[in-house]
Protein backbone atom coordinates (compact mmCIF):
# COMPACT_ATOMS: atom_id res chain seq x y z
CA UNK A 1 0.00 0.00 0.00
CA UNK A 2 2.94 2.35 0.64
CA UNK A 3 6.40 1.79 -0.83
CA UNK A 4 9.37 3.44 0.86
CA UNK A 5 11.21 6.13 -1.12
CA UNK A 6 13.64 7.09 1.63
CA UNK A 7 14.14 6.28 5.28
CA UNK A 8 16.34 8.62 7.29
CA UNK A 9 17.10 10.09 10.70
CA UNK A 10 16.62 13.83 11.21
CA UNK A 11 18.55 15.44 14.05
CA UNK A 12 18.15 18.93 15.53
CA UNK A 13 20.03 21.53 13.51
CA UNK A 14 23.44 22.90 14.59
CA UNK A 15 23.17 25.33 17.44
CA UNK A 16 20.90 23.04 19.45
CA UNK A 17 21.63 22.23 23.08
CA UNK A 18 24.10 19.38 23.42
CA UNK A 19 21.84 17.58 25.87
CA UNK A 20 18.67 18.02 27.88
CA UNK A 21 17.14 15.91 30.62
CA UNK A 22 13.60 16.50 31.83
CA UNK A 23 12.31 14.69 34.92
CA UNK A 24 8.80 13.35 34.56
CA UNK A 25 6.16 15.04 36.70
CA UNK A 26 3.08 13.47 38.22
CA UNK A 27 1.20 14.55 35.09
CA UNK A 28 3.52 12.38 32.97
CA UNK A 29 3.88 9.15 34.94
CA UNK A 30 0.41 7.81 34.22
CA UNK A 31 1.04 7.93 30.46
CA UNK A 32 4.08 5.66 30.59
CA UNK A 33 2.02 2.53 29.92
CA UNK A 34 -0.46 4.22 27.58
CA UNK A 35 -0.74 3.26 23.91
CA UNK A 36 1.11 5.49 21.45
CA UNK A 37 -0.65 8.44 19.90
CA UNK A 38 -1.12 8.30 16.13
CA UNK A 39 -2.40 11.10 13.93
CA UNK A 40 -2.44 11.66 10.18
CA UNK A 41 -2.84 14.96 8.36
CA UNK A 42 -3.85 14.77 4.70
CA UNK A 43 -3.17 17.63 2.28
CA UNK A 44 -4.48 18.08 -1.25
CA UNK A 45 -1.46 18.76 -3.45
CA UNK A 46 -1.34 17.63 -7.10
CA UNK A 47 2.39 16.93 -7.22
CA UNK A 48 4.44 14.38 -9.14
CA UNK A 49 6.98 11.97 -7.69
CA UNK A 50 9.98 13.88 -9.15
CA UNK A 51 8.77 17.13 -7.59
CA UNK A 52 8.14 15.34 -4.30
CA UNK A 53 11.65 13.90 -4.24
CA UNK A 54 13.43 17.04 -5.45
CA UNK A 55 11.56 19.77 -3.57
CA UNK A 56 9.20 18.48 -0.86
CA UNK A 57 11.52 15.95 0.82
CA UNK A 58 14.57 18.26 1.17
CA UNK A 59 12.56 21.21 2.51
CA UNK A 60 10.64 19.04 4.97
CA UNK A 61 13.87 17.56 6.32
CA UNK A 62 15.52 20.98 6.66
CA UNK A 63 12.52 22.57 8.39
CA UNK A 64 12.07 19.54 10.68
CA UNK A 65 15.71 19.74 11.74
CA UNK A 66 15.27 23.44 12.52
CA UNK A 67 12.06 22.76 14.46
CA UNK A 68 13.74 20.03 16.52
CA UNK A 69 16.32 22.60 17.61
CA UNK A 70 13.48 24.07 19.67
CA UNK A 71 11.80 20.74 20.49
CA UNK A 72 14.87 18.63 21.20
CA UNK A 73 13.19 16.20 23.67
CA UNK A 74 11.18 14.87 20.71
CA UNK A 75 14.44 13.79 19.09
CA UNK A 76 15.42 11.99 22.30
CA UNK A 77 14.07 9.10 24.33
CA UNK A 78 12.12 8.27 27.41
CA UNK A 79 14.65 6.65 29.73
CA UNK A 80 13.08 4.09 32.08
CA UNK A 81 15.15 2.45 34.89
CA UNK A 82 15.64 -1.21 34.04
CA UNK A 83 15.12 -2.27 37.66
CA UNK A 84 12.22 0.20 38.13
CA UNK A 85 13.93 1.61 41.22
CA UNK A 86 14.49 5.20 40.09
CA UNK A 87 12.32 7.60 38.16
CA UNK A 88 11.92 7.70 34.36
CA UNK A 89 12.91 10.86 32.50
CA UNK A 90 13.05 12.39 29.04
CA UNK A 91 16.61 12.46 27.81
CA UNK A 92 18.24 14.00 24.73
CA UNK A 93 21.93 13.82 23.92
CA UNK A 94 23.83 14.88 20.82
CA UNK A 95 23.38 12.23 18.16
CA UNK A 96 19.73 11.49 18.95
CA UNK A 97 17.29 11.97 16.07
CA UNK A 98 13.79 11.33 14.75
CA UNK A 99 13.07 8.48 12.35
CA UNK A 100 11.39 9.79 9.18
CA UNK A 101 10.01 7.67 6.34
CA UNK A 102 9.13 9.11 2.94
CA UNK A 103 6.86 6.81 0.98
CA UNK A 104 4.52 6.62 -1.99
CA UNK A 105 1.07 5.07 -2.31
CA UNK A 106 -1.39 4.34 -5.08
CA UNK A 107 -4.36 4.17 -2.71
CA UNK A 108 -7.40 6.29 -3.46
CA UNK A 109 -6.68 9.63 -1.74
CA UNK A 110 -10.30 10.79 -1.95
CA UNK A 111 -11.45 7.59 -0.24
CA UNK A 112 -9.06 8.14 2.66
CA UNK A 113 -10.12 11.75 3.27
CA UNK A 114 -13.84 10.98 3.13
CA UNK A 115 -16.21 11.03 6.10
CA UNK A 116 -18.00 7.78 5.26
CA UNK A 117 -17.02 4.53 7.06
CA UNK A 118 -13.61 3.36 5.85
CA UNK A 119 -11.62 0.26 6.79
CA UNK A 120 -9.49 1.24 9.81
CA UNK A 121 -6.69 -1.05 8.60
CA UNK A 122 -6.13 1.12 5.54
CA UNK A 123 -4.68 3.97 7.62
CA UNK A 124 -1.88 1.94 9.20
CA UNK A 125 0.11 2.11 5.95
CA UNK A 126 0.64 5.83 6.54
CA UNK A 127 1.74 5.99 10.17
CA UNK A 128 5.20 4.96 11.37
CA UNK A 129 6.04 2.57 14.16
CA UNK A 130 8.43 3.74 16.86
CA UNK A 131 11.78 1.92 16.85
CA UNK A 132 12.44 -0.76 19.45
CA UNK A 133 13.88 0.39 22.79
CA UNK A 134 17.64 0.22 23.28
CA UNK A 135 19.56 -0.69 26.40
CA UNK A 136 21.79 1.86 28.10
CA UNK A 137 23.59 1.56 31.45
CA UNK A 138 20.78 1.11 33.97
CA UNK A 139 18.07 2.29 31.58
CA UNK A 140 15.95 1.32 28.62
CA UNK A 141 15.72 4.09 26.03
CA UNK A 142 12.57 4.28 23.92
CA UNK A 143 12.13 6.88 21.15
CA UNK A 144 9.22 9.27 21.59
CA UNK A 145 8.50 10.40 18.01
CA UNK A 146 8.47 9.01 14.47
CA UNK A 147 7.13 10.57 11.27
CA UNK A 148 5.99 9.25 7.89
CA UNK A 149 5.32 11.43 4.85
CA UNK A 150 3.46 9.72 2.00
CA UNK A 151 2.93 10.94 -1.55
CA UNK A 152 -0.28 10.13 -3.43
CA UNK A 153 0.97 11.13 -6.90
CA UNK A 154 -0.99 14.00 -8.45
CA UNK A 155 -3.44 14.02 -5.55
CA UNK A 156 -1.89 14.81 -2.21
CA UNK A 157 0.43 14.17 0.71
CA UNK A 158 -0.12 12.72 4.16
CA UNK A 159 2.01 13.27 7.25
CA UNK A 160 1.67 10.61 9.92
CA UNK A 161 2.90 11.17 13.48
CA UNK A 162 3.44 8.53 16.15
CA UNK A 163 4.43 9.80 19.57
CA UNK A 164 4.72 8.52 23.12
CA UNK A 165 2.16 10.37 25.25
CA UNK A 166 4.66 10.53 28.11
CA UNK A 167 6.60 13.16 26.12
CA UNK A 168 3.73 15.61 25.97
CA UNK A 169 0.00 16.16 25.68
CA UNK A 170 -1.98 17.34 22.69
CA UNK A 171 -1.14 20.99 23.31
CA UNK A 172 2.59 20.18 23.16
CA UNK A 173 2.43 17.97 20.06
CA UNK A 174 0.12 20.33 18.14
CA UNK A 175 2.46 23.25 18.82
CA UNK A 176 5.37 21.18 17.50
CA UNK A 177 3.48 20.27 14.30
CA UNK A 178 2.38 23.85 13.72
CA UNK A 179 5.90 25.15 14.37
CA UNK A 180 7.27 22.70 11.80
CA UNK A 181 4.59 23.77 9.33
CA UNK A 182 5.43 27.45 9.78
CA UNK A 183 9.17 26.91 9.31
CA UNK A 184 8.53 24.80 6.22
CA UNK A 185 6.14 27.36 4.74
CA UNK A 186 8.50 30.29 5.32
CA UNK A 187 11.74 28.58 4.27
CA UNK A 188 13.14 28.23 7.77
CA UNK A 189 12.73 31.91 8.71
CA UNK A 190 12.43 31.73 12.50
CA UNK A 191 10.97 35.21 12.81
CA UNK A 192 7.64 33.62 11.85
CA UNK A 193 7.83 31.35 14.91
CA UNK A 194 5.64 33.14 17.42
CA UNK A 195 6.44 32.99 21.12
CA UNK A 196 3.58 30.52 21.66
CA UNK A 197 5.52 27.94 19.63
CA UNK A 198 8.74 28.18 21.67
CA UNK A 199 8.57 25.46 24.37
CA UNK A 200 8.95 26.24 28.05
CA UNK A 201 10.99 23.49 29.71
CA UNK A 202 11.34 24.46 33.38
CA UNK A 203 9.72 21.57 35.25
CA UNK A 204 10.18 23.28 38.61
CA UNK A 205 6.96 25.20 37.96
CA UNK A 206 5.05 21.96 38.64
CA UNK A 207 4.78 21.98 42.41
CA UNK A 208 4.25 18.65 44.17
CA UNK A 209 3.71 19.48 47.86
CA UNK A 210 1.89 16.20 48.48
CA UNK A 211 4.43 13.84 46.88
CA UNK A 212 1.90 12.81 44.26
CA UNK A 213 4.64 12.00 41.73
CA UNK A 214 6.08 9.31 43.98
CA UNK A 215 2.69 7.78 44.82
CA UNK A 216 1.61 7.63 41.15
CA UNK A 217 4.96 6.12 40.16
CA UNK A 218 4.64 3.53 42.95
CA UNK A 219 1.17 2.68 41.64
CA UNK A 220 2.48 2.38 38.07
CA UNK A 221 5.20 -0.02 39.19
CA UNK A 222 2.54 -2.49 40.36
CA UNK A 223 1.60 -2.96 36.71
CA UNK A 224 5.10 -3.07 35.25
CA UNK A 225 4.52 -6.65 34.09
CA UNK A 226 1.76 -5.28 31.83
CA UNK A 227 3.76 -2.35 30.47
CA UNK A 228 6.12 -2.48 27.56
CA UNK A 229 8.43 0.15 26.20
CA UNK A 230 7.88 -1.29 22.71
CA UNK A 231 5.44 0.25 20.27
CA UNK A 232 2.96 -2.53 19.56
CA UNK A 233 0.67 -2.00 16.57
CA UNK A 234 -2.46 -4.12 16.21
CA UNK A 235 -4.69 -2.95 13.36
CA UNK A 236 -8.31 -3.51 14.38
CA UNK A 237 -11.29 -5.08 12.69
CA UNK A 238 -13.17 -1.78 12.65
CA UNK A 239 -14.27 1.02 10.36
CA UNK A 240 -13.56 4.73 10.86
CA UNK A 241 -16.25 7.34 10.41
CA UNK A 242 -16.30 11.15 10.66
CA UNK A 243 -19.35 13.12 11.74
CA UNK A 244 -19.90 16.88 11.61
CA UNK A 245 -22.01 18.65 14.18
CA UNK A 246 -22.75 22.19 13.04
CA UNK A 247 -22.83 25.37 15.10
CA UNK A 248 -26.57 25.46 14.44
CA UNK A 249 -27.02 21.90 15.77
CA UNK A 250 -24.94 22.76 18.84
CA UNK A 251 -27.11 25.79 19.52
CA UNK A 252 -30.26 23.67 19.32
CA UNK A 253 -28.77 21.04 21.65
CA UNK A 254 -27.89 23.76 24.17
CA UNK A 255 -31.42 25.17 23.97
CA UNK A 256 -32.86 21.70 24.50
CA UNK A 257 -30.76 21.21 27.64
CA UNK A 258 -31.62 24.63 29.08
CA UNK A 259 -35.33 24.14 28.39
CA UNK A 260 -35.24 21.01 30.58
CA UNK A 261 -32.53 22.07 33.06
CA UNK A 262 -32.66 25.89 33.19
CA UNK A 263 -30.36 26.07 36.23
CA UNK A 264 -27.44 24.22 34.63
CA UNK A 265 -24.42 26.53 34.34
CA UNK A 266 -21.88 24.49 32.35
CA UNK A 267 -23.67 24.02 29.03
CA UNK A 268 -20.87 24.38 26.47
CA UNK A 269 -20.32 23.19 22.91
CA UNK A 270 -17.96 20.55 24.27
CA UNK A 271 -20.44 19.34 26.89
CA UNK A 272 -23.45 18.97 24.61
CA UNK A 273 -21.44 17.40 21.78
CA UNK A 274 -19.87 14.81 24.07
CA UNK A 275 -23.23 14.09 25.71
CA UNK A 276 -24.91 13.58 22.35
CA UNK A 277 -22.19 11.26 21.05
CA UNK A 278 -22.10 9.32 24.34
CA UNK A 279 -25.83 8.58 24.24
CA UNK A 280 -25.74 7.62 20.54
CA UNK A 281 -22.82 5.26 21.24
CA UNK A 282 -24.67 3.66 24.17
CA UNK A 283 -27.86 3.18 22.18
CA UNK A 284 -25.95 1.74 19.19
CA UNK A 285 -24.79 -1.21 21.28
CA UNK A 286 -28.22 -2.80 20.85
CA UNK A 287 -27.27 -3.46 17.22
CA UNK A 288 -24.53 -5.91 18.25
CA UNK A 289 -25.55 -7.23 21.69
CA UNK A 290 -28.83 -9.02 22.45
CA UNK A 291 -28.76 -8.68 26.23
CA UNK A 292 -27.42 -5.61 28.04
CA UNK A 293 -27.29 -5.15 31.80
CA UNK A 294 -29.57 -2.16 32.23
CA UNK A 295 -28.19 -1.47 35.71
CA UNK A 296 -24.56 -1.75 34.59
CA UNK A 297 -22.50 1.40 34.98
CA UNK A 298 -21.41 3.43 31.95
CA UNK A 299 -18.48 5.85 32.11
CA UNK A 300 -17.46 8.93 30.15
CA UNK A 301 -13.92 10.25 30.53
CA UNK A 302 -12.35 13.42 29.20
CA UNK A 303 -9.13 15.25 29.91
CA UNK A 304 -8.64 19.00 30.27
CA UNK A 305 -5.56 21.19 30.02
CA UNK A 306 -4.92 22.57 33.50
CA UNK A 307 -2.02 24.92 32.67
CA UNK A 308 -4.22 27.91 33.48
CA UNK A 309 -5.52 26.40 36.73
CA UNK A 310 -2.24 26.67 38.61
CA UNK A 311 -1.40 29.62 40.83
CA UNK A 312 0.52 31.15 39.18
CA UNK A 313 -0.59 29.65 35.85
CA UNK A 314 1.84 27.53 33.85
CA UNK A 315 2.98 29.15 30.59
CA UNK A 316 0.74 28.06 27.67
CA UNK A 317 3.90 26.80 25.94
CA UNK A 318 4.84 24.50 28.86
CA UNK A 319 6.34 21.36 27.26
CA UNK A 320 4.95 18.11 28.67
CA UNK A 321 1.69 16.82 30.04
CA UNK A 322 -0.64 19.06 32.02
CA UNK A 323 -3.89 17.16 31.79
CA UNK A 324 -6.38 16.14 34.45
CA UNK A 325 -9.23 13.77 33.82
CA UNK A 326 -12.93 14.09 34.53
CA UNK A 327 -15.23 11.09 34.77
CA UNK A 328 -19.02 11.03 34.52
CA UNK A 329 -20.87 7.83 35.33
CA UNK A 330 -24.42 6.52 35.42
CA UNK A 331 -26.47 3.40 34.75
CA UNK A 332 -26.94 2.11 31.22
CA UNK A 333 -30.72 2.45 31.47
CA UNK A 334 -30.40 6.17 32.26
CA UNK A 335 -28.51 6.86 29.02
CA UNK A 336 -30.51 4.51 26.81
CA UNK A 337 -33.85 6.09 27.74
CA UNK A 338 -35.63 9.13 26.33
CA UNK A 339 -33.89 11.47 28.78
CA UNK A 340 -30.45 9.98 28.04
CA UNK A 341 -29.01 13.06 26.35
CA UNK A 342 -30.25 15.42 29.09
CA UNK A 343 -28.80 13.19 31.81
CA UNK A 344 -25.48 12.82 29.96
CA UNK A 345 -25.10 16.59 29.47
CA UNK A 346 -25.91 17.23 33.11
CA UNK A 347 -23.39 14.65 34.36
CA UNK A 348 -20.55 15.74 32.04
CA UNK A 349 -21.14 19.44 32.75
CA UNK A 350 -21.21 18.89 36.50
CA UNK A 351 -18.05 16.76 36.45
CA UNK A 352 -16.13 19.44 34.56
CA UNK A 353 -17.45 22.40 36.55
CA UNK A 354 -16.85 20.72 39.89
CA UNK A 355 -13.17 20.12 39.14
CA UNK A 356 -12.26 22.83 36.64
CA UNK A 357 -10.91 25.31 39.18
CA UNK A 358 -10.18 22.94 42.06
CA UNK A 359 -6.42 23.38 42.50
CA UNK A 360 -6.40 21.09 45.55
CA UNK A 361 -7.96 18.28 43.50
CA UNK A 362 -5.25 18.75 40.89
CA UNK A 363 -2.36 18.90 43.37
CA UNK A 364 -3.59 15.91 45.38
CA UNK A 365 -3.63 13.57 42.37
CA UNK A 366 -7.27 12.66 43.05
CA UNK A 367 -7.93 12.75 39.30
CA UNK A 368 -5.50 9.83 38.83
CA UNK A 369 -7.29 7.70 41.44
CA UNK A 370 -10.62 8.39 39.77
CA UNK A 371 -9.53 6.71 36.55
CA UNK A 372 -8.68 3.55 38.50
CA UNK A 373 -12.39 3.08 39.18
CA UNK A 374 -13.41 3.14 35.51
CA UNK A 375 -14.40 -0.05 33.68
CA UNK A 376 -12.66 0.49 30.33
CA UNK A 377 -14.98 -1.93 28.55
CA UNK A 378 -17.93 0.24 29.53
CA UNK A 379 -16.39 3.64 28.88
CA UNK A 380 -16.28 6.29 26.18
CA UNK A 381 -13.39 8.76 26.18
CA UNK A 382 -12.27 11.79 24.17
CA UNK A 383 -9.06 12.32 22.19
CA UNK A 384 -8.17 15.76 20.92
CA UNK A 385 -9.81 19.09 21.65
CA UNK A 386 -11.54 21.82 19.64
CA UNK A 387 -9.08 24.24 21.26
CA UNK A 388 -6.19 22.58 19.39
CA UNK A 389 -6.44 23.38 15.70
CA UNK A 390 -4.29 20.93 13.73
CA UNK A 391 -6.11 21.89 10.54
CA UNK A 392 -4.25 25.20 10.81
CA UNK A 393 -0.90 23.44 10.29
CA UNK A 394 -0.08 24.91 6.86
CA UNK A 395 3.20 23.61 5.42
CA UNK A 396 2.80 25.94 2.46
CA UNK A 397 0.13 23.74 0.88
CA UNK A 398 -2.91 25.34 2.54
CA UNK A 399 -5.04 23.96 5.35
CA UNK A 400 -5.15 20.23 5.82
CA UNK A 401 -7.86 18.36 3.94
CA UNK A 402 -8.44 15.80 6.71
CA UNK A 403 -7.25 14.91 10.19
CA UNK A 404 -7.45 11.34 11.44
CA UNK A 405 -6.78 10.25 15.03
CA UNK A 406 -5.69 6.70 14.26
CA UNK A 407 -4.99 5.95 17.92
CA UNK A 408 -8.72 5.96 18.81
CA UNK A 409 -8.64 2.39 17.47
CA UNK A 410 -6.61 1.32 20.52
CA UNK A 411 -7.65 0.04 23.94
CA UNK A 412 -10.75 -1.63 25.36
CA UNK A 413 -12.77 1.57 25.60
CA UNK A 414 -14.48 3.43 22.78
CA UNK A 415 -12.68 6.68 22.06
CA UNK A 416 -14.02 9.58 20.04
CA UNK A 417 -11.81 12.25 18.53
CA UNK A 418 -12.97 15.83 18.68
CA UNK A 419 -11.58 18.75 16.71
CA UNK A 420 -12.49 21.98 15.03
CA UNK A 421 -14.15 21.49 11.69
CA UNK A 422 -11.93 21.85 8.66
CA UNK A 423 -14.26 24.18 6.84
CA UNK A 424 -16.45 26.15 9.20
CA UNK A 425 -15.71 28.03 12.41
CA UNK A 426 -18.04 26.85 15.15
CA UNK A 427 -18.67 23.41 13.65
CA UNK A 428 -17.06 20.39 15.29
CA UNK A 429 -15.68 17.21 13.77
CA UNK A 430 -16.10 13.85 15.52
CA UNK A 431 -14.13 10.72 14.68
CA UNK A 432 -15.13 7.22 15.74
CA UNK A 433 -13.75 3.72 15.25
CA UNK A 434 -16.36 0.97 15.65
CA UNK A 435 -17.38 -2.36 14.21
CA UNK A 436 -19.17 -1.95 10.89
CA UNK A 437 -22.56 -2.97 12.29
CA UNK A 438 -22.29 -0.64 15.27
CA UNK A 439 -21.03 2.23 13.11
CA UNK A 440 -24.08 1.93 10.86
CA UNK A 441 -26.35 1.96 13.92
CA UNK A 442 -24.54 4.96 15.41
CA UNK A 443 -24.67 6.90 12.13
CA UNK A 444 -28.42 6.35 11.82
CA UNK A 445 -29.04 7.50 15.41
CA UNK A 446 -26.71 10.48 15.14
CA UNK A 447 -28.36 11.78 11.97
CA UNK A 448 -31.91 10.95 13.03
CA UNK A 449 -31.57 12.70 16.39
CA UNK A 450 -30.23 15.92 14.90
CA UNK A 451 -32.98 16.01 12.28
CA UNK A 452 -35.59 16.29 15.04
CA UNK A 453 -34.02 19.26 16.85
Amino acid sequence: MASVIEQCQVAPSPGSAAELTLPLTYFDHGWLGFHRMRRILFYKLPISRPDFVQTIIPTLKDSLSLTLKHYIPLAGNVACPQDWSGYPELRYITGDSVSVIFSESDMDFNYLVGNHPRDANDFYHFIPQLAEPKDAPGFQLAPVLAIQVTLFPNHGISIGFTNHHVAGDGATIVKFVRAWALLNKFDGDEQFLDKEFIPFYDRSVIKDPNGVGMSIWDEMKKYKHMMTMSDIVTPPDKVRGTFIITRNDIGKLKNLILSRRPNLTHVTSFTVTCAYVWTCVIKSEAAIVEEIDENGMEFFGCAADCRAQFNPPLPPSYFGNALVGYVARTRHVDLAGKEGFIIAAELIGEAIQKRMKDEEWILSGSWFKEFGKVDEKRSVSVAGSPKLDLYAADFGWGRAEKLEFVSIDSGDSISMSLSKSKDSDGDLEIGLSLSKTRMNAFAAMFTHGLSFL
Side-chain angles (χ1 to χ4, degrees):
M1 290 290 190
S3 55
V4 174
I5 295 173
E6 179 184 347
Q7 187 163 4
C8 60
Q9 299 292 132
V10 176
S13 63
S16 307
E19 59 182 62
L20 179 66
T21 299
L22 296 177
L24 298 192
T25 74
Y26 60 89
F27 289 115
D28 302 316
H29 287 146
W31 299 108
L32 194 66
F34 199 69
H35 62 73
R36 306 307 179 254
M37 304 305 294
R38 309 183 198 280
R39 304 170 179 87
I40 308 176
L41 284 168
F42 291 89
Y43 292 87
K44 278 194 172 179
L45 189 67
I47 190 169
S48 66
R49 177 181 169 130
D51 283 344
F52 180 70
V53 172
Q54 292 164 20
T55 61
I56 299 294
I57 290 179
T59 55
L60 281 177
K61 287 198 289 190
D62 288 346
S63 56
L64 175 59
S65 177
L66 195 56
T67 309
L68 290 171
K69 181 178 78 171
H70 300 283
Y71 288 83
I72 58 173
L74 296 180
N77 298 275
V78 54
C80 190
Q82 289 184 335
D83 61 2
W84 293 78
S85 60
Y87 284 97
E89 60 191 22
L90 292 180
R91 183 187 297 175
Y92 168 81
I93 60 172
T94 300
D96 287 343
S97 57
V98 173
S99 171
V100 183
I101 295 172
F102 294 96
S103 58
E104 178 182 12
S105 175
D106 59 2
M107 270 201 74
D108 185 341
F109 182 85
N110 291 325
Y111 160 82
L112 291 169
V113 301
N115 289 345
H116 61 286
R118 292 141 294 148
D119 189 334
N121 287 299
D122 289 338
F123 293 86
Y124 285 78
H125 304 290
F126 313 113
I127 51 169
Q129 190 170 358
L130 293 172
E132 279 297 300
K134 296 179 292 187
D135 289 334
F139 287 87
Q140 244 195 341
L141 303 177
V144 296
L145 176 67
I147 296 169
Q148 181 175 340
V149 183
T150 304
L151 169 70
F152 300 83
N154 303 312
H155 288 92
I157 287 174
S158 70
I159 305 182
F161 305 87
T162 298
N163 70 275
H164 201 313
H165 206 311
V166 79
D169 54 23
T172 292
I173 299 303
V174 168
K175 281 183 169 63
F176 158 72
V177 175
R178 292 189 59 181
W180 180 20
L182 280 168
L183 289 175
N184 192 77
K185 180 178 182 177
F186 294 109
D187 299 321
D189 190 338
E190 293 180 87
Q191 72 173 348
F192 290 97
L193 211 55
D194 294 339
K195 185 180 178 181
E196 65 173 304
F197 297 117
I198 304 298
F200 180 87
Y201 287 119
D202 185 0
R203 293 280 165 106
S204 70
V205 297
I206 302 284
K207 308 300 181 188
D208 188 8
N210 303 310
V212 173
M214 183 175 292
S215 61
I216 291 180
W217 178 234
D218 287 343
E219 187 68 23
M220 295 295 296
K221 287 193 287 187
K222 295 178 185 177
Y223 303 97
K224 61 185 178 184
H225 62 285
M226 298 169 57
M227 288 196 286
T228 174
M229 297 290 281
S230 297
D231 178 16
I232 299 173
V233 179
T234 309
D237 184 18
K238 296 179 180 179
V239 295
R240 303 179 61 79
T242 305
F243 301 86
I244 307 298
I245 188 162
T246 67
R247 175 191 285 188
N248 188 41
D249 291 332
I250 291 169
K252 290 178 179 178
L253 289 172
K254 288 180 180 178
N255 290 336
L256 176 60
I257 293 290
L258 293 172
S259 69
R260 306 283 185 88
R261 301 286 193 276
N263 295 325
L264 279 188
T265 54
H266 197 78
V267 183
T268 66
S269 298
F270 179 87
T271 302
V272 299
T273 300
C274 289
Y276 187 67
V277 173
W278 189 19
T279 49
C280 288
V281 166
I282 294 302
K283 292 174 182 178
S284 71
E285 188 179 21
I288 59 169
V289 177
E290 289 186 8
E291 290 188 22
I292 301 172
D293 180 4
E294 290 196 339
N295 290 312
M297 294 300 293
E298 305 284 0
F299 302 85
F300 186 89
C302 57
D305 186 335
C306 65
R307 286 167 172 80
Q309 308 309 325
F310 276 82
N311 186 18
L314 303 183
S317 59
Y318 170 81
F319 182 99
N321 288 287
L323 298 176
V324 290
Y326 308 118
V327 177
R329 67 196 78 204
T330 191
R331 297 180 306 158
H332 178 90
V333 67
D334 297 330
L335 296 174
K338 288 184 178 180
E339 292 286 296
F341 167 63
I342 306 295
I343 293 169
E346 188 172 18
L347 290 170
I348 294 171
E350 285 179 350
I352 294 173
Q353 185 168 28
K354 182 180 179 183
R355 305 300 188 189
M356 190 166 53
K357 295 182 179 179
D358 189 345
E359 187 179 11
E360 176 57 32
W361 188 72
I362 295 171
L363 292 173
S364 67
S366 299
W367 47 271
F368 181 77
K369 298 170 188 172
E370 192 164 323
F371 275 104
K373 303 171 186 174
V374 171
D375 179 356
E376 278 200 30
K377 293 182 179 179
R378 304 302 311 169
S379 72
V380 176
S381 59
V382 184
S385 167
K387 295 179 180 178
L388 306 175
D389 190 6
L390 257 181
Y391 276 113
D394 179 0
F395 285 80
W397 319 319
R399 285 176 66 83
E401 181 67 21
K402 192 67 188 295
L403 165 64
E404 291 285 349
F405 286 79
V406 178
S407 46
I408 63 171
D409 295 336
S410 305
D412 293 328
S413 67
I414 292 174
S415 184
M416 59 179 273
S417 64
L418 190 60
S419 62
K420 281 186 177 180
S421 168
K422 171 192 65 175
D423 298 317
S424 177
D425 192 34
D427 296 355
L428 296 179
E429 195 169 290
I430 299 147
L432 278 171
S433 177
L434 301 169
S435 69
K436 188 174 182 179
T437 303
R438 191 165 188 179
M439 182 67 81
N440 290 338
F442 173 88
M445 290 173 188
F446 183 89
T447 305
H448 183 73
L450 293 180
S451 69
F452 275 85
L453 290 175

